[in-house]
Amino acid sequence: MENNQWWKKSVVYQIYPRSFNDSNQDGVGDLQGIIEKLDYLKLLGVDVLWLSPVYDSPNDDNGYDIRNYQEIMQEFGTMEDFNLLLDQVHQRGMKLVMDLVVNHTSDEHYWFMESKKSKESPYRDYYFWRKGKDGREPNNWGSVFGGSAWKYDEITDEYYLHIFSKKQPDLNWENPKLRQEVYQMMRFWLDKGIDGFRMDVINFISKEPGLPEGEIHDGQTYGDGSRYFMNGPRIHEFLQEINERVLSDYPVMTVGEMPGASPKDATQYTDPNRNEVNMIFTFEHMDLDSAPGGKWNLKPLNLVDLKENLAKWQTALHKKGWNSLYWNNHDQPRIVSRFGNDQEYRVESAKMLAACLHFMQGTPYIYQGEEIGMTNVKFESLEDYRDIETLNMYEERKALGYAHDEIMQSIYVKGRDNARTPVQWDDSEHGGFTSGIPWIKVNPRYKEINVTAALEDPNSIFYFYQKLISLRKEMDIIVEGDFQLLLEDHPSIFAYERNWKDESLLVFCNFGDKTIVMEDEDLLNRFPEYEIILANYDEADPKELRSYEAIVLKGK
Ligand code: NOJ
């Protein structure tokens, strides 16, 4: 492994600052709050912290709508706080990665405010402004957050494109001046010494010229423009330019969030010889529990699909590119509630899921609270929800005639606020997140599930994650080894083998609550002698896997 590929050995921890820790009791997490918890993160053993956006923003989409890229959001603190945070992270031997949101800005960004004023504005072409077509929007694309992807503006009698909310106008990367401004901004942060970027929907920045009409799928009102705005014609060129003009001067890591990217796309995006990004976030495994029509249409997960999918990515990128490994982030429901069992087997299933992911090849990401097994939340009233995606969807489905209970069920299972309730630090009011009124309610399970309780219990999920992280540092096979899926068709066992040089590992995970007797003798015969290096139950025996049991064997 080359020295500049330090991220191959790292484990990243994602912080959603708004919900992490509130130091000034205004109900919103902040940078000083993060500083207070750095020793906790160091104890967990993670190497890299990724901060969701901390820039000045009107918070239509919690910071993913940036008003000023070079200022800190007031609620989160000041630039001095940021400088201190960066320094404190570095002092502890960790690294800090920032969110880079450059597919769109806020509609309150200076560029947009200027571009809106007239067709002659020097900023006009920084965005996609188009005339209406036959008294309607310029094309039929729908926005990811509901409704049309276009908003009409009276001042110039034109529409602007917004793939996300109407307060998130899309930037036009065809414009070289805009690209130049983005590169300068990136340098501003890199020159401070940050260690990389997580690049928000970065494969959306190149759009098919002409913005063709999208296909209208069954039951949909708007056209699906995704094939024209995802992985567009100039995407590789733009990513390479970002590297050439900016990133190549710094020893940093990049992870591109890329919905709609296939393993084949990913081998290009992450091929080290192409200088695009180090790794990407894929969505395929997160889409397996959705029926046609999108994430709100619920479908139970079929484990065989999950195994097939993850195995496909593992093999496709081996020695070609690099994977990121994740179950959770601020956009996804909590994994223990999703693919595990957040009741009777919460602890066992959270550990099993962690083991299943962390023994694969790639860079693992842990999302705040995952390390203590935080669960989804069910607020009774819609008023307790905050997420624009959820609230827009509710209105849209209500208008289409869906029953309230059915919509709420989708929100309980898939809503992004599941991930955004405050981190549960202890069993005091609001889980110790704030003594003010939190911006979103704490999960009522905080009395049982919290950091203090986890740290006191040597068998907690926290210490299991700590062990996984330290094993990755000790065992190069976890970083370098190949991947082979075993028992492909088994409905509840996820088993795989890793091999590297003369070493091998065998990972068994039971995704169900029934005990499974391992009948396939051959599997264990391949390992006539082995040592159990990790298990989530005492006295583990790989011949019999109990509910949500995980066992990892090292061949001797
Ligand atoms: C992806 C981010 O993760 C999500 O939270 C956000 O809403 C969209 N991109 C738009 O920036």
Side-chain angles (χ1 to χ4, degrees):
M1 192 193 325
E2 291 169 39
N3 216 2
N4 61 1
Q5 297 190 327
W6 53 267
W7 36 268
K8 286 195 169 176
K9 269 189 160 243
S10 301
V11 178
V12 183
Y13 185 95
Q14 183 192 352
I15 294 177
Y16 194 67
R18 177 164 289 271
S19 304
F20 189 66
N21 183 36
D22 177 16
S23 75
N24 64 354
Q25 317 310 337
D26 65 353
V28 174
D30 46 48
L31 299 181
Q32 287 290 345
I34 300 173
I35 295 173
E36 285 173 12
K37 300 295 183 185
L38 290 179
D39 289 332
Y40 166 73
L41 298 172
K42 185 70 192 166
L43 180 69
L44 179 59
V46 293
D47 319 87
V48 181
L49 307 181
W50 148 30
L51 291 189
S52 274
V54 295
Y55 317 99
D56 173 44
S57 161
N59 284 310
D60 189 53
D61 186 20
N62 287 353
Y64 283 92
D65 49 320
I66 298 173
R67 181 164 49 202
N68 187 330
Y69 287 104
Q70 286 170 218
E71 269 180 26
I72 297 293
M73 192 189 301
Q74 264 180 21
E75 290 166 300
F76 289 177
T78 62
M79 194 59 86
E80 283 67 51
D81 294 328
F82 177 82
N83 295 339
L84 182 66
L85 169 63
L86 182 60
D87 182 55
Q88 292 287 310
V89 169
H90 285 163
Q91 275 193 29
R92 286 169 178 76
M94 297 189 283
K95 296 185 192 282
L96 191 74
V97 164
M98 305 278 285
D99 226 299
L100 180 75
V101 188
V102 290
N103 173 67
H104 44 266
T105 63
S106 162
D107 66 339
E108 297 179 34
H109 191 287
Y110 173 77
W111 300 336
F112 188 77
M113 307 277 276
E114 287 298 313
S115 104
K116 211 175 148 161
K117 286 184 182 159
S118 87
K119 291 184 186 167
E120 280 69 51
S121 158
Y123 293 94
R124 186 71 171 177
D125 188 46
Y126 277 31
Y127 297 86
F128 292 91
W129 288 99
R130 295 288 186 276
K131 281 195 197 21
K133 220 168 73 185
D134 311 324
R136 294 205 46 154
E137 293 86 5
N139 74 18
N140 67 359
W141 295 2
S143 142
V144 173
F145 291 159
S148 164
W150 295 93
K151 179 157 170 16
Y152 177 71
D153 194 70
E154 279 175 357
I155 303 177
T156 54
D157 185 30
E158 286 194 343
Y159 293 78
Y160 65 86
L161 177 69
H162 61 90
I163 303 286
F164 293 91
S165 97
K166 55 182 185 295
K167 287 186 66 64
Q168 292 168 297
D170 280 61
L171 286 167
N172 174 19
W173 275 68
E174 301 291 325
N175 182 318
K177 271 181 31 216
L178 174 268
R179 301 208 298 276
Q180 209 41 52
E181 300 228 38
V182 170
Y183 302 156
Q184 267 173 28
M185 175 276 282
M186 290 174 74
R187 282 188 182 275
F188 169 84
W189 291 100
L190 290 162
D191 289 339
K192 280 183 177 287
I194 68 157
D195 303 288
F197 289 112
R198 174 270 187 187
M199 303 159 101
D200 191 68
V201 289
I202 200 70
N203 64 331
F204 287 19
I205 61 176
S206 162
K207 274 112 182 152
E208 177 75 35
L211 311 176
E213 298 282 314
E215 191 189 334
I216 303 181
H217 302 302
D218 281 353
Q220 303 291 317
T221 317
Y222 292 96
D224 173 6
S226 59
R227 55 183 285 217
Y228 304 118
F229 63 73
M230 289 177 176
N231 311 306
R234 295 183 71 186
I235 184 65
H236 296 290
E237 178 196 334
F238 291 156
L239 291 172
Q240 286 168 12
E241 189 182 274
I242 297 176
N243 269 273
E244 192 190 306
R245 301 281 176 84
V246 186
L247 295 169
S248 55
D249 291 338
Y250 306 86
V252 296
M253 67 164 262
T254 51
V255 49
E257 188 205 24
M258 297 203 182
S262 67
K264 191 160 163 273
D265 297 324
T267 50
Q268 291 201 311
Y269 287 129
T270 69
D271 173 352
N273 300 317
R274 293 175 57 95
N275 297 318
E276 297 186 8
V277 292
N278 299 141
M279 59 192 121
I280 73 163
F281 289 131
T282 152
F283 283 70
E284 286 188 355
H285 68 306
M286 295 278 102
D287 293 337
L288 298 173
D289 55 355
S290 303
K295 75 178 212 178
W296 303 110
N297 297 341
L298 309 178
K299 175 181 128 183
L301 174 75
N302 176 347
L303 182 70
V304 173
D305 295 343
L306 180 70
K307 295 195 288 189
E308 193 228 314
N309 187 269
L310 292 174
K312 180 176 78 179
W313 282 83
Q314 285 288 299
T315 31
L317 268 59
H318 182 61
K319 293 210 159 113
K320 296 208 178 76
W322 194 249
N323 269 298
S324 61
L325 306 170
Y326 79 94
W327 289 136
N328 272 117
N329 59 44
H330 63 292
D331 295 330
Q332 299 294 339
R334 294 282 179 181
I335 199 63
V336 67
S337 304
R338 188 177 189 179
F339 296 169
N341 175 327
D342 66 7
Q343 299 298 317
E344 199 183 339
Y345 296 107
R346 185 184 68 88
V347 173
E348 290 80 0
S349 66
K351 290 178 181 173
M352 180 279 289
L353 287 159
C356 182
L357 194 74
H358 281 245
F359 275 96
M360 291 185 193
Q361 187 175 38
T363 300
Y365 288 73
I366 301 171
Y367 177 66
Q368 64 184 35
E370 180 181 337
E371 77 282 11
I372 57 165
M374 279 178 61
T375 60
N376 281 354
V377 74
K378 276 189 182 180
F379 294 135
E380 249 172 63
S381 163
L382 186 70
E383 279 178 19
D384 290 329
Y385 285 90
R386 298 285 175 267
D387 178 22
I388 179 168
E389 182 193 43
T390 293
L391 300 175
N392 286 358
M393 181 280 286
Y394 184 91
E395 290 309 323
E396 201 162 275
R397 293 215 155 179
K398 201 83 215 198
L400 288 170
Y402 283 73
H404 170 82
D405 288 352
E406 190 185 346
I407 312 180
M408 292 310 285
Q409 193 51 33
S410 293
I411 296 175
Y412 294 155
V413 177
K414 289 290 184 65
R416 303 195 298 183
D417 282 337
N418 282 307
R420 299 178 180 186
T421 61
V423 172
Q424 296 148 209
W425 294 103
D426 58 38
D427 64 3
S428 67
E429 204 187 1
H430 308 310
F433 163 73
T434 183
S435 53
I437 307 290
W439 71 276
I440 185 171
K441 280 188 175 167
V442 70
N443 186 320
R445 293 182 72 179
Y446 70 91
K447 293 217 185 267
E448 162 210 357
I449 306 167
N450 62 65
V451 168
T452 308
L455 293 178
E456 279 166 3
D457 173 6
N459 283 320
S460 69
I461 302 166
F462 176 90
Y463 292 114
F464 195 84
Y465 270 90
Q466 188 188 53
K467 176 85 184 170
L468 285 170
I469 298 166
S470 71
L471 282 173
R472 180 169 286 266
K473 305 226 172 335
E474 288 156 23
M475 301 179 69
D476 287 341
I477 180 174
I478 302 178
V479 179
E480 307 284 354
D482 66 8
F483 177 97
Q484 201 192 335
L485 185 66
L486 307 169
L487 303 176
E488 282 138 66
D489 300 321
H490 198 291
S492 63
I493 302 295
F494 196 150
Y496 59 86
E497 192 175 329
R498 306 279 316 270
N499 283 291
W500 185 65
K501 296 190 175 163
D502 57 354
E503 292 179 30
S504 47
L505 288 175
L506 195 53
V507 180
F508 288 110
C509 295
N510 185 356
F511 272 66
D513 57 9
K514 308 242 165 7
T515 297
I516 304 288
V517 178
M518 298 300 293
E519 280 155 9
D520 195 336
E521 287 287 321
D522 282 351
L523 258 187
L524 291 169
N525 288 345
R526 293 211 335 227
F527 283 67
E529 279 187 74
Y530 58 77
E531 172 197 350
I532 296 184
I533 59 164
L534 190 76
N536 62 347
Y537 276 82
D538 289 339
E539 293 173 32
D541 174 356
K543 293 187 191 70
E544 203 171 285
L545 296 170
R546 288 159 281 186
S547 316
Y548 300 101
E549 184 157 10
I551 304 183
V552 183
L553 313 179
K554 182 173 180 289
K556 279 197 190 163

